[in-house]
Amino acid sequence: MTNHSDSQVPRQEIFKNVQANGNITVGNITQIYKTVNNLGELPKPTGFPQNIPASNTDKFVGRERELERLHQHLQSNHSVVIAAVEGMGGVGKTELAIQYSLLHLQLDNYPSGICWLRARESDIGLQILEFATTDLGLQPPEDLELPERVRWCWQHWRQGETLIVFDDVKNYSHVKPYLPPQPSQFKVLITTRLKLDLASSLFLEVLSETDALLLLAQLIGEEKQNQELALAKELCQRLGYLPLALQLVGRYVKKRNITLADMLKRLEEKGLGHPSLVVKENDPTWTLNVKNGVAAAFELSWSELSDDAQQLGCLLSLFALAPIPWSLVEGAATEQDSEELEDARVELENLHLLQGGDTYQLHQLIQEFLRNKQNNLVNADEQKDNFCKALVEVAQSIPDSPTLQLITSVKDAIAHLAEIAQNLTDAVSDENLIWVFAGLNRFYSGQGLYAIAEPWCQQCVSVVQTRLGEKHPDVATSYNNLAGLYDSQGRYSEAEPLYKKALELRQGLLGEEHPDVASSYNNLAELYKSQGRYSEAEPLLKEALELRQGLLGEEHPDVATSYNNLAGLYKSQGRYSEAEPLYKKALLLRQRLLGEEHPDVATSYNNLAGLYDFQGRYSEAEPLYKKALLLMQGLLGEEHPDVASSYNNLTGLYKSQGRYSEAEPLYKKALLLRQRLLGEEHPDVASSYNNLALLYKSQGRYSEAEPLYKKALLLMQRLLGEEHPSVATSYNNLAEL
């Protein structure tokens, strides 16, 4: 607590300087609050009519700029000025108005009185009369009606600037008849949960992390906070930086003398229902003048909502704590008329329960409050079902190779899909269950973000197995997807048993004649090819091609993929004359079926170019490599493993032609991209080390080549095993050096 005697002199000097200057700045206000925690602690000047209520806080922090702006609004001209402080329940609107009133009481800016009115109560007119008679000594005629008596008071008020505060206005039309006349000496300050859209409205946000920590430290002690700083930050975040919540929880921690870890655990168990966040009637001992707990503060806003707005609030609570696209809300509320839905949204916005424009956001404690309400809805299960269906539709729209454009179009839905995966799988139907995780996997692994995709694939196996049992096609798919992720990361020994499990399950459940069985053959074969196990790969690739042709017909993207993959095997074996017609077939099919602007078409260009490159047909290879690179950059963005591969391939061509100055920066680009996207432990990174070493060797830069060759060899041995052809090549390269 501040020592008043030590700080009194500088504080009085600040007040005098401000009074002389006639204008108060953020700097002045900051200086004042550095010398005193709360202006309510100061002796109030005598001779001023005022009924400012007691402060609700020990320490007032983080609102200096708002206090300055508020004064600017109120002093903008000499007619009646109405400034409104708007915001959600618990954000500190009333406290800001109290501190503003106390500050300008000390500065003598409202010499004719500061009149505080409790606007949520119905007797506003009587409150004005009481202040006028008790504090100003006015005697309005008894024979007038209440509105006329109030008007008489305004007319006979003592001369000089006056501040009238209407605190917690819930209906502006109820206040309007009691506003002072214009032009006049009166400045009117309104605090409200409503969105009034006045020219001088000030929207009050939650505290910054810095100010929230400052407030918490004042309540629990700086030493305790410094000892548990990481937990203090977590607690502030858990409470959404809401001043009311921080006040209540901080006092609870201090009173109980518990650790912040304990407090977080208790909040996790009981949420808004925890005693720290509930203010009991007739128990002001540790809550000062706070009358409502957090849930009770929100309840005041909830009670103002129509049934439709309450329903929408409950639906919004199911979304993650992330921006919510309105299109997703419409998708989840299909039974409601779009205009009625908009009306409900406007109600929530008007009470500051919802913020946003194209996307919307709930404060986390409001979300928690609304989730509690949602659990008690008669149609709670139906609402969850519709919510999940809307997000599953998004998941199903994500292809295996999503373009940058598609990634951008669905990215705002991903956090909400993850929310379902984490907390709402019980509300997802059996047939849609796998799609929740498949959508997340495709979104992340399609961008090369394998580390983020992995836990979703692992969770998918667990959740789908538990729900559907081992003998189910979706379990096979979940094995396949996890294997594919490991395969993409070069983790072949982990991928193989999962691919085999998926194949066996599919054969047993679906029979041999099924597209999913063909996919399993293809995936296992591609794994073998990556490991140099060509004799095992070839029959599986042929089996996959024949199955797909028979089941899907020639005109199908999966058939094109089979042609492409079989061609790749032949190229790896040096069977170029067999590979070329298959690569061309795959390219033509993909162009016809998918259009030119597709990642698979870019892959076909790249693969055909690679074949020509291997054969020394550089003039045919270069334009195809460049086409592939431009397509991939446009479709996938610069930060993608396939773009890194394109750089690498084009660079290999330049090296083969002796165009070293063009090759080196691209090799380095490819290496850095692969390291960033795939991590150090990946075969493609080893390949990049090897290729850059080859370039240096070709230029006679042997001292630079050797460490890269060694790095590549060690990585390949560790990742691919000693028996892989690439390891043999690495030994050979190092030996030739």
Side-chain angles (χ1 to χ4, degrees):
M1 197 63 75
T2 305
N3 186 315
H4 296 313
S5 59
D6 292 344
S7 60
Q8 191 70 25
V9 174
R11 189 167 55 249
Q12 291 303 334
E13 286 176 2
I14 295 166
F15 286 143
K16 282 177 186 174
N17 290 339
V18 172
Q19 284 167 335
N21 189 32
N23 186 31
I24 189 160
T25 66
V26 169
N28 299 140
I29 297 167
T30 303
Q31 215 173 341
I32 289 168
Y33 281 103
K34 274 182 181 174
T35 63
V36 64
N37 287 329
N38 187 319
L39 292 176
E41 299 169 4
L42 299 182
K44 293 181 176 57
T46 56
F48 292 89
Q50 58 86 15
N51 63 341
I52 305 167
S55 169
N56 296 323
T57 183
D58 286 338
K59 173 77 172 171
F60 185 70
V61 299
R63 301 298 197 195
E64 292 87 353
R65 187 161 299 283
E66 286 82 357
L67 284 170
E68 181 198 47
R69 285 178 58 199
L70 197 50
H71 195 57
Q72 287 171 350
H73 285 325
L74 287 167
Q75 298 301 318
S76 59
N77 58 53
H78 296 293
S79 64
V80 66
V81 173
I82 302 174
V85 178
E86 304 176 0
M88 62 184 279
V91 81
K93 303 178 294 295
T94 295
E95 189 59 43
L96 183 73
I98 289 172
Q99 294 296 324
Y100 177 82
S101 302
L102 291 170
L103 177 62
H104 293 280
L105 177 68
Q106 295 288 344
L107 292 169
D108 192 20
N109 281 333
Y110 297 107
S112 292
I114 297 176
C115 174
W116 190 281
L117 305 168
R118 300 176 304 280
R120 186 166 280 275
E121 298 174 19
S122 57
D123 62 343
I124 297 173
L126 293 176
Q127 290 181 55
I128 296 170
L129 287 181
E130 183 183 351
F131 186 89
T133 55
T134 304
D135 292 84
L136 299 175
L138 297 179
Q139 296 296 326
E142 295 286 340
D143 57 346
L144 296 177
E145 295 292 327
L146 181 60
E148 282 72 30
R149 293 175 79 195
V150 170
R151 196 172 299 115
W152 186 94
C153 290
W154 294 139
Q155 290 165 352
H156 293 82
W157 208 275
R158 67 162 69 173
Q159 289 302 304
E161 293 246 309
T162 306
L163 178 65
I164 310 294
V165 181
F166 290 86
D167 181 41
D168 200 9
V169 171
K170 69 173 186 176
N171 190 324
Y172 187 61
S173 64
H174 291 171
V175 170
K176 211 169 179 182
Y178 299 106
L179 293 175
Q182 312 183 51
S184 69
Q185 71 204 56
F186 299 98
K187 306 298 179 185
V188 177
L189 171 57
I190 288 172
T191 73
T192 182
R193 294 156 188 253
L194 299 172
K195 195 173 182 181
L196 294 181
D197 291 324
L198 296 174
S200 55
S201 286
L202 177 70
F203 173 63
L204 201 59
E205 298 190 34
V206 295
L207 294 172
S208 67
E209 182 183 70
T210 302
D211 290 328
L213 286 168
L214 190 62
L215 175 58
L216 189 63
Q218 185 67 27
L219 294 162
I220 68 172
E222 284 186 30
E223 187 179 348
K224 184 182 184 73
Q225 178 161 295
N226 290 337
Q227 288 170 350
E228 301 182 79
L229 187 57
L231 290 170
K233 289 182 178 182
E234 189 180 341
L235 183 60
C236 289
Q237 193 274 333
R238 171 69 181 80
L239 297 172
Y241 311 104
L242 188 71
L244 174 60
L246 288 162
Q247 286 273 354
L248 295 174
V249 168
R251 289 177 183 283
Y252 183 91
V253 168
K254 179 72 172 174
K255 186 181 181 186
R256 300 286 178 115
N257 194 25
I258 60 173
T259 66
L260 297 186
D262 280 343
M263 188 68 246
L264 281 162
K265 186 179 177 184
R266 294 179 190 192
L267 287 173
E268 186 64 33
E269 289 169 358
K270 295 187 179 177
L272 285 178
H274 188 268
S276 65
L277 295 171
V278 179
V279 175
K280 294 177 183 174
E281 208 171 341
N282 304 320
D283 181 22
T285 53
W286 61 279
T287 58
L288 286 184
N289 298 292
V290 175
K291 294 179 178 62
N292 291 314
V294 175
F298 297 159
E299 190 72 43
L300 292 172
S301 299
W302 172 264
S303 63
E304 302 287 327
L305 297 172
S306 67
D307 287 346
D308 282 351
Q310 289 182 350
Q311 285 279 334
L312 176 58
C314 290
L315 174 61
L316 290 169
S317 77
L318 298 175
F319 286 84
L321 280 172
I324 305 168
W326 186 243
S327 58
L328 283 183
V329 182
E330 290 176 315
T334 49
E335 295 171 12
Q336 198 161 0
D337 176 79
S338 61
E339 287 193 35
E340 289 175 359
L341 198 62
E342 284 173 9
D343 291 341
R345 185 189 74 205
V346 169
E347 276 192 63
L348 293 170
E349 288 180 277
N350 283 345
L351 283 166
H352 292 286
L353 293 170
L354 182 66
Q355 297 166 25
D358 295 331
T359 59
Y360 294 85
Q361 184 96 41
L362 290 175
H363 183 274
Q364 62 195 71
L365 294 183
I366 289 178
Q367 183 207 50
E368 191 174 334
F369 172 81
L370 292 172
R371 279 192 176 179
N372 291 337
K373 295 290 185 185
Q374 202 281 337
N375 287 333
N376 295 320
L377 284 182
V378 175
N379 63 331
D381 290 343
E382 182 186 352
Q383 201 174 67
K384 287 177 182 175
D385 180 58
N386 289 335
F387 169 68
C388 292
K389 281 178 180 173
L391 269 300
V392 163
E393 279 185 26
V394 175
Q396 291 172 334
S397 73
I398 305 171
D400 285 321
S401 301
T403 62
L404 192 61
Q405 184 180 9
L406 190 133
I407 292 292
T408 302
S409 72
V410 301
K411 66 180 173 60
D412 287 339
I414 295 303
H416 309 297
L417 197 59
E419 180 69 21
I420 294 174
Q422 288 169 315
N423 298 312
L424 281 172
T425 52
D426 287 349
V428 183
S429 64
D430 289 356
E431 62 269 24
N432 285 336
L433 186 60
I434 196 167
W435 277 108
V436 175
F437 301 98
L440 291 165
N441 175 38
R442 288 179 176 186
F443 178 81
Y444 289 117
S445 63
Q447 298 174 78
L449 302 172
Y450 304 126
I452 303 176
E454 187 173 336
W456 295 122
C457 286
Q458 290 170 338
Q459 190 182 339
C460 182
V461 172
S462 171
V463 170
V464 173
Q465 262 182 337
T466 303
R467 169 88 73 88
L468 305 176
E470 181 67 24
K471 301 292 180 183
H472 194 281
D474 286 354
V475 173
T477 301
S478 70
Y479 285 139
N480 181 77
N481 293 348
L482 181 57
L485 192 70
Y486 290 153
D487 193 352
S488 299
Q489 294 173 285
R491 294 159 65 181
Y492 304 132
S493 62
E494 293 170 86
E496 186 173 351
L498 290 171
Y499 273 146
K500 286 180 172 177
K501 259 187 173 179
L503 174 59
E504 287 167 17
L505 259 179
R506 284 171 166 173
Q507 286 172 318
L509 294 168
L510 306 173
E512 190 67 25
E513 298 289 311
H514 195 279
D516 287 354
V517 172
S519 292
S520 273
Y521 282 136
N522 176 79
N523 296 342
L524 190 56
E526 284 293 287
L527 177 76
Y528 291 156
K529 186 174 78 177
S530 299
Q531 295 175 293
R533 296 159 66 181
Y534 303 135
S535 62
E536 293 171 84
E538 187 170 352
L540 292 176
L541 284 173
K542 287 180 173 176
E543 186 73 35
L545 174 60
E546 286 173 21
L547 262 178
R548 284 170 167 173
Q549 286 172 318
L551 295 168
L552 306 172
E554 189 68 21
E555 296 290 307
H556 195 279
D558 287 356
V559 172
T561 297
S562 273
Y563 283 136
N564 177 80
N565 294 349
L566 189 56
L569 177 74
Y570 291 156
K571 185 187 87 170
S572 300
Q573 295 173 293
R575 296 158 66 181
Y576 304 137
S577 61
E578 294 171 84
E580 186 172 350
L582 292 177
Y583 269 146
K584 286 180 173 177
K585 256 187 177 177
L587 172 61
L588 289 171
L589 257 180
R590 284 171 166 174
Q591 286 172 316
R592 189 160 65 248
L593 297 170
L594 306 173
E596 187 69 21
E597 298 288 313
H598 194 280
D600 288 356
V601 172
T603 298
S604 273
Y605 282 135
N606 183 73
N607 293 345
L608 189 56
L611 180 71
Y612 293 155
D613 191 356
F614 271 43
Q615 295 174 288
R617 297 158 66 181
Y618 303 135
S619 61
E620 293 172 86
E622 186 170 351
L624 292 176
Y625 272 146
K626 287 181 173 177
K627 251 187 178 178
L629 175 59
L630 286 172
L631 255 181
M632 284 174 178
Q633 285 173 317
L635 294 170
L636 307 175
E638 189 68 21
E639 296 289 308
H640 196 282
D642 288 355
V643 172
S645 293
S646 260
Y647 281 131
N648 181 76
N649 296 341
L650 183 58
T651 308
L653 179 77
Y654 291 159
K655 180 184 72 68
S656 300
Q657 294 176 295
R659 296 158 66 181
Y660 302 135
S661 62
E662 292 173 83
E664 187 171 347
L666 290 182
Y667 265 148
K668 286 180 174 176
K669 220 177 190 181
L671 172 60
L672 287 171
L673 257 179
R674 283 171 164 175
Q675 285 173 318
R676 188 161 65 246
L677 295 170
L678 307 173
E680 190 67 23
E681 297 291 307
H682 195 282
D684 287 356
V685 172
S687 176
S688 274
Y689 282 135
N690 186 71
N691 293 342
L692 191 55
L694 278 168
L695 180 73
Y696 291 155
K697 178 189 163 191
S698 302
Q699 295 174 282
R701 296 160 65 182
Y702 304 126
S703 63
E704 292 171 86
E706 187 175 353
L708 292 175
Y709 272 143
K710 286 179 176 176
K711 260 188 175 178
L713 175 59
L714 287 171
L715 255 182
M716 286 175 179
Q717 284 174 317
R718 190 160 63 246
L719 297 171
L720 305 175
E722 195 67 30
E723 299 301 313
H724 194 280
S726 296
V727 173
T729 303
S730 268
Y731 277 129
N732 187 60
N733 291 338
L734 196 54
E736 286 179 353
L737 190 69

